[in-house]
Amino acid sequence: RFDLEGFGIIEIIYGNNEEVNAISITPDNGREMEFDVVKEHVVDDDKLTNYLCRTWKVDKIRDVYYKDKEVVFDKEYIEKEDVMIDEVFFSKSGTYMLVYHDGTIGVSSWKWKNKEDKTISYSWDNNWSDKHVIDISFEGNTLVVREVFDAEGEGAEHFDINEMFTYLSEK
């Protein structure tokens, strides 16, 4: 039970096996609201998952654009102003969180698409799509995330494919 000054009371409600069943919120000037809790499936415990699931610091991003299979743009972004993201966090409960320079966060879900191929599916809204797939690899203590985008929207006439590599080091 947490009594937060200026907010109200948050209470965690436990069930039979000491698992959290619900959360109760009672604002200072309001009535009690209770929310059921459903625990997410935990990703299997193995060497690859254990190495992935941690906090990573973004070192650099490399963008490569292709037109008719030829490279038309290739640039590495190392400066903080260009990279936009400070940290990336993967959890075993399928959470994928980005921490941006301005202190905001983005939270989505992830799951193994094919563990042997080191491919991960992600979803920002629990609608899983083959467009939201990343490949991962490890170079020593560096996690390399590769994502491929088809050309869409403004400027799409200048390229067919955008391949983005994000290089992350252990925090």
Side-chain angles (χ1 to χ4, degrees), residues 1-12 24-29:
R1 182 177 170 100
F2 303 92
D3 189 351
L4 305 175
E5 185 177 334
F7 176 78
I9 297 172
I10 297 176
E11 185 175 359
I12 299 172
S24 170
I25 300 175
T26 308
D28 282 341
N29 297 322

Side-chain angles (χ1 to χ4, degrees), residues 5 128 130 143 146:
E5 185 177 334
W128 300 90
D130 283 338
L143 167 63
R146 177 184 165 266

Side-chain angles (χ1 to χ4, degrees), residues 46-54 56 90 112 115 118-120 135-146 166-170:
D46 59 62
K47 186 176 179 180
L48 183 61
T49 301
N50 290 343
Y51 195 59
L52 174 68
C53 292
R54 64 187 66 223
W56 298 91
F90 289 92
W112 289 111
K115 193 182 296 183
K118 297 182 185 164
T119 56
I120 294 173
D135 300 316
I136 64 167
S137 61
F138 296 96
E139 297 174 4
N141 291 334
T142 300
L143 167 63
V144 181
V145 176
R146 177 184 165 266
T166 305
Y167 296 84
L168 306 119
S169 59
E170 289 185 75

Side-chain angles (χ1 to χ4, degrees), residues 3 67 83 86 101 105 109 116 130 140-141 145 152 164 166:
D3 189 351
K67 179 73 174 178
V83 175
D86 287 329
H101 291 325
I105 61 171
S109 301
E116 286 90 35
D130 283 338
N141 291 334
V145 176
E152 292 180 3
M164 185 170 73
T166 305

